[in-house]
Amino acid sequence: MIELKAVSKKFNHTHAVNEVSFKVNEAETLVLLGTSGCGKTTTLKMINRLITPDAGEIYIGGEAIARQDGDALRKKIGYVMQHIGLFPHYTIAENIAVVPKLLKWPKAKIEERVHGLMEKLHLPANTLNMLPNQLSGGQQQRVGLARALVADPAVLLMDEPFGALDNVTRTSIQQEFKALDELKRKTIVMVTHDVQEAFELADRICLMDKGKVVQLGTPKELLYQPVNDFARKFLAGQQLTLEFKITKLSDIWSFLPNAAAAEEKSEVADVSVWEAMELLRSTGKNRLLAVDEHGKIKALSFDQLTKGFNQYQNLQAHG
Ligand SMILES: Nc1ncnc2c1ncn2[C@@H]1O[C@H](COP(=O)(O)OP(=O)(O)OP(=O)(O)O)[C@@H](O)[C@H]1O
């Protein structure tokens, strides 16, 4: 869907991006991860031609973007900016409706879409006519996302979309983001410097350093098969949490105790061990129930999840 071929960009003497190549498949979320200044934002902005590469080629849907008009291209690509970047003197409704107005949608269609998105993103209807500074940081972030999604673009570029939020708000918006139907079909390239966030949201991660791709792979590959010391050190210290995040209930299913009660219903889908623990924490319950496709019910408590996870890890390590 998106392909970068040996793309480079220099600013004065800084090689911001140095022969970067990768492909993003349709409906995939690729996260660009790396320390500040490694070239993530420059890479992202070259995909919608806010920055022009010095060398290399970029294709979207098989077409070279260099041969397309920049404004027309950007109307087709959703873009969530770093630091949100809402227009301060536009109301929330006007901020969300920028692209549909440029595309000359009829007024009624714009209103319907803006209302629908506000509902989906849990923005209260009374914020429609407010200005951005009257909203909380979390609400502003949702408006930024609504603005990027409004014309239903197939491609979405997101630059530190949750960067301005406190940890609690950040975690809950990340969870909502993952569950949002609007995003399921989209090809997403997202920038972050936060390892946990990358593991939470990425199908694949592109780890960058000094303008170059260090490693591109699934979260599991980055964790268990780091290509060099830089990749290893980048994840060091967070190993256990990351393992909880990439291990699913279905992975540890056979190690969890059966729960008999047929009348009890499932409360948990096939989430990660981490998410199941978060659910236990947030609901304050001692145990939750999960059910598989054969109707088999399993009980989940902190203790059982940890035991099941350890047994699974042992099996992975020793066959
Ligand atoms: N417009 C510019 N003019 C000069 N140098 C720039 C410009 N934009 C980026 N750079 C430099 O290019 C390098 C890569 O910057 P970039 O913003 O792409 O990194 P990043 O990984 O997104 O960092 P951050 O997470 O801090 O935004 C940095 O050294 C930066 O100082």
Side-chain angles (χ1 to χ4, degrees), residues 172-224:
S172 71
I173 293 193
Q174 278 173 2
Q175 294 309 325
E176 272 180 47
F177 174 85
K178 271 170 80 169
L180 212 61
D181 261 354
E182 288 262 349
L183 293 170
K184 297 245 156 79
R185 295 161 288 115
K186 303 214 179 290
T187 307
I188 300 175
V189 184
M190 193 179 112
V191 164
T192 186
H193 62 270
D194 181 338
V195 175
Q196 300 290 341
E197 183 164 284
F199 271 65
E200 197 79 58
L201 303 176
D203 293 311
R204 287 187 306 147
I205 294 172
C206 177
L207 179 64
M208 294 180 68
D209 182 38
K210 299 192 189 88
K212 283 195 165 285
V213 175
V214 177
Q215 184 166 5
L216 201 155
T218 62
K220 230 175 202 161
E221 284 164 350
L222 260 82
L223 193 58
Y224 294 122

Side-chain angles (χ1 to χ4, degrees), residues 9-17 32-45 51 82-83 159-160 191-193 208 210-211:
K9 179 74 191 177
K10 250 185 175 177
F11 294 110
N12 307 318
H13 298 295
T14 313
H15 241 130
V17 175
L32 304 180
L33 174 69
T35 46
S36 181
C38 72
K40 306 180 295 293
T41 297
T42 307
T43 304
L44 196 74
K45 285 184 173 174
I51 293 177
Q82 206 170 12
H83 314 302
D159 197 349
E160 299 272 5
V191 164
T192 186
H193 62 270
M208 294 180 68
K210 299 192 189 88

